[in-house]
Amino acid sequence: MSSQFSTASSHTLSSSAPPREAEAYIDFLNEAAPSPFHAVHSAVARLEQAGFRRLSERDDWDLERKGKYYFTRNGSTVLAFTIGGKYKHGNGGFSIVGAHTDSPQLKVKPVSKREKAGYLEVGVQLYGGGLWHTWFDRSLGVAGRVMVRLGDGCYRQRLVRISKPILTIPTLAVHFDGAQATRFNFNEETQLLPILATKAKECVNDAFRTCCFMDTHLRSFILQLQERHHSALMEALAKELDVHPDQINDFDLSLYDTQPACIGGVHDEFVFSQRQDNLGMSYCSLMGMINTCNRVDEDPNIRVLALFDNEEVGSTSAQGANSSLLPATLERLICTNIRDDDVSLSCLPGLSRANGKNAHPKVLYERAIHKSLLLSADMAHAVHPNFLDQYEDNHRPEMHHGTVIKINANQRYATTAPTSLIIREIAGRRDIPIQEFVVRNDGRCGSTIGAMLSAKMSLRTVDVGNPQLSMHSLRETTGVDDVKHGIDLFEAFYELFPAVESQVLIDNE
């Protein structure tokens, strides 16, 4: 063992056997990675198994102290919360963790049908800032949601995942362009096109379909679909969903790597998978919420977990962090009577009374926000041994050494001295390792939902994330021990934040 690692606390490193938390994380990745819709579906399954009850934003909410609840929006965002046993309107705040379910991806275009030189290709849009060269020569499947017409004329969202590798994006042989061996350049519109089939094989199968589909209406509908998408793609979707092709009305589909997530390295210390940014933090925060959901008897706060969509493209959507979703939900909780609460509230104009003071819901909301903290959870950069010059000398996070606090003087991250202190104190009380990261002054800094929500809601925030390599590549690398570190940190945050926060005095409190 090198001297660098020998200085780490013994709790930081696991033995050669992968921690059970990492094994469970692999299971989650293989369920959730194909699309944000699958990520939310997987999260919801775990929440329901833990006893969380589904709510609808369209309905009134009947809530009780120590209750566990969740709702989804667009099928790609989920918000869960538990109400502390000692929570009272006007006295408690919110312990919030926010992460995101999306990653850079290739999305199928509304009209995807392409044909060149005897090949059938599928037109795709770039989503986010991916390392697109890593998508070449991979075995790609298709996944997402499909709007299916039911027999009663209604339409229902169905998740679909074609696990068979039906697409690939081939590189150009080095013999045609020697420069490609050292610097890979390509046009993202014309050369980043996945191949679905050859025209020769498609003609054979077209003849088979014509013989099999004797229904005139169905044959006509297939011809209409062929104007937008290759019939082979549509039939593959219909087969996976066990519906007729004419029941498919529309879809949101993404390409994904069919190679499963796995644990690797000679000491079984790495997790190799797509979309760990940000499924890594989504999973750790989800398990932090679930693992502590039955330990809320003494909690004066409402614990909140928000997994948003569309962070990679700016979060400006109905299901993104820049929407009204989080503030509207917190205000709604303030305006909702909680059974067994001795404070009765009304959202109508006027004032009710709580603890002898004015308790207008707007005032109670503002008071609660200033007793709250957001952990903006998004993956961080581990130091890369082959590119050390890209890292600030004193801020080089290592795998297995704990979750990273991210700091930026220009507020690309929302961490401040008080919020950093709070999370350090929480981690210290549970002996959880913590690291720090800042970018070089001559380098680029990423962004998260942290600064956005902090400014939008006047909400104290700290940006954190587990370290990883190859961020935004189709295949990313993390450390097995940091899965447990992340889960432990979120568990500690949910359980200890109210007590620690009360001891940090700012603005003459």
Side-chain angles (χ1 to χ4, degrees), residues 18-33 42 46 100 103 260-263 269-287 379 466-469 476-487:
R20 58 181 177 81
E21 291 85 357
E23 298 280 7
Y25 175 49
I26 292 292
D27 292 338
F28 176 79
L29 286 171
N30 285 326
E31 296 170 13
S42 299
R46 287 163 173 76
H100 65 92
S103 304
C262 65
I263 290 176
E269 61 178 302
F270 301 123
V271 175
F272 302 132
S273 176
Q274 62 193 311
R275 299 182 182 174
Q276 295 195 72
D277 174 26
N278 190 41
L279 291 180
M281 287 291 90
S282 293
Y283 178 75
C284 289
S285 57
L286 173 69
M287 298 314 298
M379 296 295 283
N466 281 350
Q468 72 162 94
L469 293 171
E476 300 171 326
T477 302
T478 59
V480 294
D481 293 323
D482 292 318
V483 180
K484 185 177 189 305
H485 293 155
I487 294 172

Side-chain angles (χ1 to χ4, degrees), residues 432-452:
I432 301 168
I434 289 290
Q435 306 182 75
E436 290 180 327
F437 175 77
V438 299
V439 297
R440 290 168 54 102
N441 289 329
D442 57 358
R444 296 175 57 195
C445 182
S447 62
T448 71
I449 63 174
M452 180 185 305

Side-chain angles (χ1 to χ4, degrees), residues 58-133:
R58 297 185 176 201
D59 300 332
D60 289 332
W61 291 354
D62 180 23
L63 307 178
E64 61 183 355
R65 192 174 284 106
K66 296 191 285 186
K68 302 178 287 188
Y69 309 94
Y70 79 92
F71 66 85
T72 63
R73 182 181 288 185
N74 188 52
S76 59
T77 289
V78 59
L79 188 145
F81 61 94
T82 60
I83 301 174
K86 295 292 181 67
Y87 174 79
K88 291 183 182 293
H89 291 314
N91 290 336
F94 300 102
S95 306
I96 311 167
V97 179
H100 65 92
T101 60
D102 63 317
S103 304
Q105 56 195 286
L106 300 179
K107 298 176 72 72
V108 177
K109 289 181 176 179
V111 179
S112 68
K113 187 175 182 179
R114 298 285 189 93
E115 184 177 333
K116 289 189 297 185
Y119 291 99
L120 307 186
E121 297 182 310
V122 176
V124 292
Q125 297 183 82
L126 308 185
Y127 177 94
L131 292 174
W132 304 121
H133 66 274

Side-chain angles (χ1 to χ4, degrees), residues 184-210:
F184 186 26
N185 296 313
F186 58 92
N187 183 283
E188 295 171 344
E189 175 63 23
T190 61
Q191 295 170 330
L192 190 65
L193 283 170
I195 291 175
L196 178 68
T198 61
K199 182 64 176 175
K201 286 292 185 180
E202 179 70 357
C203 288
V204 172
N205 285 281
D206 271 341
F208 173 77
R209 281 192 288 268
T210 302

Side-chain angles (χ1 to χ4, degrees), residues 456-476:
K456 185 186 191 77
M457 300 174 61
S458 299
L459 179 61
R460 292 177 297 175
T461 301
V462 56
D463 274 287
V464 300
N466 281 350
Q468 72 162 94
L469 293 171
S470 304
M471 187 176 289
H472 288 195
S473 170
L474 185 56
R475 198 76 175 170
E476 300 171 326

Side-chain angles (χ1 to χ4, degrees), residues 150-186:
L150 306 179
D152 59 3
C154 294
Y155 294 87
R156 180 175 295 277
Q157 171 181 297
R158 293 275 305 278
L159 294 189
V160 67
R161 173 179 184 170
I162 299 178
S163 299
K164 176 182 177 180
I166 62 172
L167 296 163
T168 189
I169 307 173
T171 51
L172 181 67
V174 68
H175 310 79
F176 291 99
D177 184 358
Q180 297 285 61
T182 56
R183 183 169 295 276
F184 186 26
N185 296 313
F186 58 92

